[in-house]
Amino acid sequence: MTDTAPAAPGAPAPYDAVVLAGGAARRLGGADKPGLRVGGRALLDRVLAACAGAAMTVVVAAPRPTARPVRWAREDPPGGGPVAALEAGLRRTTAAHTVVLSADLPFLEPATLRRLLTALRGTGADGALLTDADGRDQPLVAAYRTAALRRELTALAAAHDGLTGLPLRRLTGALRLTRVPDPLASFDCDTWGDIADARARIREHGHVLDEWISAVKDELGIDLDVDTGVLLDLARDAAHGVARPAAPLTTFLVGYAAAQGGSGPEAVAEAARKATALALRWAEESGADATGSSGGPSAPDAG
């Protein structure tokens, strides 16, 4: 896809995103790292889901299919390193703040980017970046003032006759930065061991449901936040009060009804409320019939 991603409701401030996805992945034997799947989704798509609130998302790499709309850019020459790639992506941006991300962050969330942008706006710093479990700076999980990046990139290009091959520390060393500790969101996949660890973590009991729902929404192109607890409670009531197959069928019908009624979170909640009330009434009737307490035709002493 090659269009501009829409801004998500509730985004803290307009921002653009630049995702660097053109590295050589030498520690992975040259594998296509952005395309490696964790939890059924390509690493690049997971990062794009986290920055869905960006007014514009620019991916610096050779174009490929993505789950969300992006614009593409490429450093010249290709493979010129992260500083050159960042400059190429920044040429396409227009917002005052730019989130800069690598394409191998399996646990990045929109809330992480909101924290970074809030930290940036709350200080006079040029950027706000995450630090990992060892306290190391992660400049490719960060929010920057776009003007500060452009200023320092221009200075670097003049001092080094271009940006090709320059390490990121040459850029970040000239910026005033504030730091936000986050060992999980800053976890990146540099090795096959990292990939295996990420895949194992999302299958843990405390994470697997949220991961699965996010994967299904991405696969179906759904941008809808709903209260999964409400739907799970509905499924439980339908299964217990009616029959086990009623649970998945009822939740499907709730989704269908919500789509017809406006398809927002409120429509889902209202349809779930009605279906839950029906399931409870059904269960009450069944219980009353079983004990003969209803006084209706099915009671043992009914004439």
Side-chain angles (χ1 to χ4, degrees):
M1 299 182 181
T2 56
D3 212 343
T4 303
Y15 73 95
D16 291 333
V18 174
V19 181
L20 307 189
R26 292 182 180 87
R27 296 172 68 186
L28 286 165
D32 175 26
K33 182 162 66 169
L36 293 177
R37 297 187 179 277
V38 173
R41 292 188 289 165
L43 284 170
L44 176 57
D45 284 336
R46 296 178 73 89
V47 172
L48 295 180
C51 62
M56 179 188 302
T57 299
V58 182
V59 179
V60 185
R64 65 170 68 216
T66 55
R68 291 180 179 271
V70 302
R71 293 189 176 184
W72 298 95
R74 202 72 168 112
E75 72 273 27
D76 186 17
V83 176
L86 173 55
E87 192 276 334
L90 208 64
R91 274 184 268 145
R92 306 293 298 273
T93 65
T94 58
H97 299 115
T98 300
V99 167
V100 178
L101 306 167
S102 60
D104 61 351
L105 302 165
F107 303 118
L108 190 67
E109 298 287 345
T112 309
L113 303 187
R114 289 194 292 269
R115 288 174 60 208
L116 287 169
L117 290 162
T118 298
L120 178 60
R121 292 196 312 275
T123 68
D126 296 322
L129 52 74
L130 292 193
T131 55
D132 65 14
D134 297 319
R136 293 173 298 198
D137 288 353
Q138 298 298 313
L140 296 184
V141 201
Y144 298 97
R145 299 186 191 278
T146 308
L149 284 179
R150 290 191 171 124
R151 179 191 71 227
E152 296 306 327
L153 286 167
T154 299
L156 279 175
H160 297 275
D161 194 26
L163 301 173
T164 299
L166 292 181
L168 268 174
R169 64 178 179 273
R170 291 286 182 89
L171 174 63
T172 56
L175 298 171
R176 294 168 298 150
L177 301 172
T178 188
R179 290 160 176 84
V180 179
D182 194 328
L184 183 59
S186 62
F187 180 90
D188 57 1
C189 293
D190 289 329
T191 68
W192 288 113
D194 294 335
I195 294 288
D197 289 345
R199 288 171 173 169
R201 180 180 176 84
I202 66 167
R203 286 172 171 79
E204 293 175 358
H205 178 71
H207 307 283
V208 66
L209 183 59
D210 287 341
E211 286 286 347
W212 171 248
I213 295 300
S214 295
V216 171
K217 289 196 295 186
D218 265 13
E219 191 72 16
L220 300 179
I222 298 172
D223 269 326
L224 178 63
D225 289 325
V226 296
D227 188 341
T228 55
V230 169
L231 295 179
L232 289 173
D233 288 345
L234 166 60
R236 178 202 62 206
D237 292 336
H240 290 175
V242 184
R244 279 190 176 276
L249 293 172
T250 304
T251 52
F252 163 76
L253 291 172
V254 163
Y256 186 81
Q260 288 191 318
S263 71
E266 298 81 6
V268 175
E270 178 62 14
R273 183 193 65 78
K274 291 179 178 179
T276 299
L278 176 61
L280 294 176
R281 292 198 303 270
W282 190 290
E284 288 171 2
E285 290 179 10
S286 298
D289 288 348
T291 60
S293 60
S294 68
S298 60
D301 60 348

